Amino acid sequence: MVIEVTDQYVRLACMQAGRLCHFDVRPRDPRGPLLQEVNIPKRFLSFEATVVIARREVIFKLLDLPSSDAGELRRMVDMQIASQVPFTKDEMEYSLDVLQTFEDGRSRVLVAVIEKKKAAWYFTEAQARGLRVGRMIISSSALVSACLRPRPEIQDDRSCHAFVCVDEGHSELCFILGRKMFFSKHFAVGLGGVMETDDPVLAREVVR
């Protein structure tokens, strides 16, 4: 089960045996509970849920660190990251992904940071509907996974690829190298703005 939360909508998709067996999308009311209007059949309540949150909820930091050991990298990130984001160590959660290792022992690491109380809010809202949350990912990661799934030829490709997702009220730009995302950006303009005006505001934002 996947629950995607955007600024305007909440989408629910349930898969069984590799097939989509249930889908629901509802307008999001910021004044009420997150999933109050979403139709979740009882038979799917036992499914583990993945919550997909908006890119703007997460801060990305790209760090070059003098180690390739996983434990040392985490300790280095733990020491440095609080000085680069507007949260203290106690106020945030983070994950890291090693994008590249170098011959001299350095590593390039992408760190994703979210405010702890914001992450807790998403978990609490999902659990209030009886859902068991397995993980939380950002929309950029979900977008890249969806784009790569039908493109196995990118598996060993070391060239750079860009993906643009245009939604109703927002858009995202993602860059990947091989099969790893190293950059993504959120734009507060979406399909509505593109269709209702001749002003190429989205194109300008992407180029910038």
Side-chain angles (χ1 to χ4, degrees), residues 33 83 93 139 146:
S83 66
E93 302 277 1
S139 52

Side-chain angles (χ1 to χ4, degrees), residues 96-109:
L96 62 89
D97 187 19
V98 179
L99 301 179
Q100 195 173 5
T101 56
F102 301 95
E103 292 183 357
D104 61 3
R106 293 180 299 116
S107 297
R108 181 158 294 162
V109 178

Side-chain angles (χ1 to χ4, degrees), residues 11-13 33 62 80 84 95 97 134 151 154-155 169 194 196 204:
R11 300 183 179 101
L12 171 73
L62 193 62
Q80 294 185 32
Q84 302 193 34
S95 64
D97 187 19
R151 301 283 303 279
I154 297 180
Q155 178 73 44
V194 172
E196 294 168 6
R204 286 203 309 271

Side-chain angles (χ1 to χ4, degrees), residues 133-198:
V133 180
R135 63 176 182 153
M136 180 186 298
I137 63 174
I138 64 170
S139 52
S140 304
S141 298
L143 168 62
V144 168
S145 296
C147 291
L148 289 179
R149 192 173 297 116
R151 301 283 303 279
E153 71 275 11
I154 297 180
Q155 178 73 44
D156 300 317
D157 187 358
R158 299 302 297 171
S159 61
C160 182
H161 296 263
F163 299 103
V164 179
C165 175
V166 183
D167 208 324
E168 182 69 22
H170 73 279
S171 302
E172 287 187 51
L173 170 66
C174 302
F175 284 93
I176 67 165
L177 185 64
R179 296 184 70 85
K180 292 200 172 186
M181 180 178 64
F182 65 90
F183 175 88
S184 74
K185 185 175 181 179
H186 171 271
F187 304 106
V189 58
L191 187 61
V194 172
M195 300 298 289
E196 294 168 6
T197 177
D198 293 330

